[in-house]
Each structure stands twice: as structure tokens, then as C-alpha cells.
Amino acid sequence: MLGTNNIHPMEELKGHLRQILKVIPSGSNIYYLDYPVYNNGGDLLIMKGTEAFFRDNEINVLARYSVLDCPLSLKVPDGVTIVLQGGGNFGDLYSTHQKLRERIVAQHPRHRVVILPQTIFYKSDIELKKTARIFNGHKDVHFFVRDTVSYELAKKEFHQTNVYLSPDMAHQLWPIKPKGQPHAEMLYFFRKDIEKTKNQNQYESVSGPGAVFKDWETVYNRIDRKIIRTTNSWLKSGKGRSLARWFWYKYSDRMVHTAIKEFSKYRTVTTSRLHGHILACLLDQPNVLLDNSYGKNSNYYAAWTKNNPKSRLEGIPSGGFGKPENPERSESTSASAEHAKGSGAVVLTDGAAL
């Protein structure tokens, strides 16, 4: 089903990512920091979408570092742009990644720093103000955020920062071909971490004995977890770091393949994982999205995926939100603020397709 001008809504979201080229033009030399080395399939989808964006737009990645092996005093050549991974960990819930971002901004006042699409959430206003002081000391930070709530917060607090509204980097992977025909009705893909909410309980209580409940930790097995631990150890120790990085990129391709294969088994997905929702959308698969603990999912849906005819937010009929205004075109805020290329295959590290 197509959106306006006979363009699928997912194709429109992928096209919206091209605004990033205004601050990282084709041909740029970059350092890419904070790529994930853990078993969160959503962050792996972001990484693969990010790498696809670099490749599709001829952006040259001179170096890659995770939070595990990024030097405390990273030396970056003049003229090289520093690009930080997007996701949902900007704030004080995931301090390791936030400390890396703040350190990079503070240590490189003469380099352009680009933060790819993030959701912002702080429990502590003190921590928010601390981050703001660091960011406001830099004159060339470009911050892409994934929803209007994050946009308004960033514009208010980070007044020296260039802020843009953007969909998630995983949309660069559109479209993804399913791995075969579905043979089961429903996958309940629910988070089990600090962002879980009680509204998942009603599904768990009324579903039958054959209902399938999964999260990233059950999509991936003990072999995957052992390989992740080993890769973490290699990166932290510095021994064979280049080999460990190369191996992880190859193995994470396999993990994304595993997630695609798992989702392809089902006709419908009900999920409280934002990237459960986004992966279903990339597969053009019917899905229902539940919110997380602080509104990340509903805010993202309102900003970007509400026009997808195969998606709906729990409690709101498909298309139930009004069309969100783009804060870059209008100063008014929505009610929620109060609260390319596509072959159908995921292109892997070596250019092959899943």
C-alpha cells in the first residue's frame, strides 16, 4: 500500500535520512563511534542501517570504535568528522554510552561531531544540565533526534547545538525480504528490562498455552552470548582488536539474519520493542506497538510510523493520530510534546546480501 505520490510510507522515511548528508556530505572522511557489541537486535539493526547509509552515500569510514575499545584520549585527524551511533540511550539510563558521547564532545572542540538519530530521556534534571553544559561548549555539534519530545528538549537545553528531527537509521535497510512464508499467527515480542511496562501483562494473562513470547535475549542463544563475551574481552584487552572488530561485524550480520528469520515465521507481531516494530515495518508485516516506560515508542509512532497502514499503536486505531507537524517548519508543539536504495535484502559488511 502506497503513501502520498505513490510512495510507500517506509520509502518516504528512508528518503528523509538523506538530510544527514547536509552535515556529512558524500565523500566525507569520518570516525564512527559507539557501534554496539551486545545482543540487542534493535541496536544491531541501527548499526547495519548506518553502515548501509555510509556505503550508499560514499562516506569514508576511516576508523570504528565501540564503547569497549575507544581510547580515553582519542586522536582524530583534522578535517575528519566524528559520528556517534544513534539509538535510544541518550540520557541517564545508560551511563556508559552517555559518558562516551560527553567525553568525545568535550575533547574535540575543533571537530564536527554528529550524533545520529537518538531518543532523549533523563530521570535527573541535574544530569541533563550537566550534559547541556558540555554540549553548549562546542560550536559544531549536529544532533539528530527521533521524536518531537526529544526535539523540543534538545532545542531548549542545547542552545549551541544544531538539532534536527529524523527517523531511525534502521530505515535505510528498507525493504527487507521475509525469509519464507509465515506459518504461525502471532509473535509477542516484549521487552524484559528497565523500560518494560505493566500493559504487557494483559497479553500474557489472556493468551493461550501456544502463544509465543520472545525478546532479543531469547532470539539469540547461548553460543551467541558466549561469542559476544569473547569479543568484548578481546576489544577490552586490546589484543587482536582489529581482528575482533572484523569478526564482530561478520557475526553481527548473522545475528540480524537470525532476527529476520524469526520474525518471518509470523503473520503478525505485537511488540513493546521499538525495533520489534521497526523490523516488522521493514518486513512490511502487520504489527501492533505497545509503549515503553517513558513514551519512546508512542512518540516515535506519532512522528514517523503512524502512516504505515500495517501498523497501529495499542489503544489507537490505525491513522488515529493527526499528522504531526515538523518542528523545523513550525514553532508549535504537538500534544505529544507535552507528555535510495532498496533491493529487498540487507547488505552485509562485505557487500553480500542476506
Side-chain angles (χ1 to χ4, degrees), residues 43-259:
D43 287 346
L44 296 180
L45 284 167
I46 292 172
M47 178 177 73
K48 299 306 176 184
T50 300
E51 293 283 3
F53 183 85
F54 296 155
R55 185 170 53 249
D56 292 346
N57 292 290
E58 299 180 338
I59 294 168
N60 306 311
V61 184
L62 303 184
R64 294 172 173 86
Y65 292 98
S66 73
V67 73
L68 301 167
D69 64 334
C70 188
L72 287 175
S73 296
L74 178 66
K75 305 298 182 184
V76 182
D78 292 342
V80 172
T81 299
I82 302 171
V83 181
L84 287 145
Q85 166 90 352
N89 58 17
F90 193 103
D92 56 5
L93 289 184
Y94 304 95
S95 61
T96 302
H97 301 279
Q98 187 63 24
K99 287 177 180 177
L100 173 62
R101 277 187 287 268
E102 293 176 2
R103 187 174 81 238
I104 292 298
V105 170
Q107 290 180 348
H108 298 88
R110 294 181 179 84
H111 287 82
R112 171 164 291 187
V113 178
V114 179
I115 300 171
L116 294 176
Q118 278 277 355
T119 298
I120 305 173
F121 179 75
Y122 283 86
K123 296 182 294 181
S124 167
D125 190 60
I126 294 173
E127 290 299 316
L128 171 59
K129 299 298 184 185
K130 174 189 169 186
T131 303
R133 283 194 299 272
I134 295 170
F135 274 58
N136 290 332
H138 197 300
K139 296 182 179 179
D140 198 11
V141 175
H142 299 263
F143 190 6
F144 291 86
V145 295
R146 301 188 301 191
D147 60 78
T148 56
V149 173
S150 295
Y151 181 90
E152 296 298 338
L153 180 60
K155 292 289 284 186
K156 177 184 176 183
E157 299 292 342
F158 309 141
H159 52 77
Q160 290 284 0
T161 299
N162 302 281
V163 184
Y164 315 86
L165 187 68
S166 172
D168 188 89
M169 293 304 298
H171 289 287
Q172 187 68 23
L173 298 174
W174 167 263
I176 296 177
K177 290 181 180 178
K179 299 295 180 182
Q181 295 297 315
H183 55 77
E185 187 58 39
M186 175 69 74
L187 170 64
Y188 294 100
F189 197 71
F190 288 164
R191 58 188 319 140
K192 300 177 181 179
D193 60 6
I194 58 176
E195 295 183 38
K196 176 182 177 179
T197 58
K198 293 180 180 178
N199 59 349
Q200 296 177 188
N201 295 339
Q202 62 179 311
Y203 291 92
E204 295 167 353
S205 62
V206 302
S207 57
V212 179
F213 291 86
K214 287 185 176 288
D215 196 5
W216 296 122
E217 66 183 35
T218 50
V219 168
Y220 303 123
N221 60 31
R222 62 182 183 84
I223 296 175
D224 297 321
R225 291 189 286 274
K226 182 177 181 180
I227 287 175
I228 290 169
R229 288 194 300 271
T230 301
T231 306
N232 272 247
S233 178
W234 288 346
L235 289 170
K236 287 178 180 178
S237 69
K239 297 178 180 178
R241 183 175 291 163
S242 296
L243 178 60
R245 188 180 300 122
W246 174 86
F247 173 78
W248 173 245
Y249 262 72
K250 295 291 185 182
Y251 197 81
S252 59
D253 288 341
R254 178 186 181 279
M255 294 178 70
V256 170
H257 171 86
T258 297

Side-chain angles (χ1 to χ4, degrees), residues 191 195-200 271-274 288-301 313-314 339:
R191 58 188 319 140
E195 295 183 38
K196 176 182 177 179
T197 58
K198 293 180 180 178
N199 59 349
Q200 296 177 188
T271 182
S272 57
R273 283 277 185 190
L274 178 58
V288 178
L289 177 64
L290 283 65
D291 213 351
N292 74 319
S293 62
Y294 61 88
K296 174 175 69 180
N297 295 353
S298 59
N299 290 332
Y300 191 86
Y301 179 89
L313 185 68
E314 182 193 43
H339 183 306

Side-chain angles (χ1 to χ4, degrees), residues 26-44:
S26 295
S28 294
N29 294 322
I30 70 167
Y31 274 28
Y32 174 39
L33 309 185
D34 201 22
Y35 67 85
V37 189
Y38 42 87
N39 68 343
N40 184 307
D43 287 346
L44 296 180

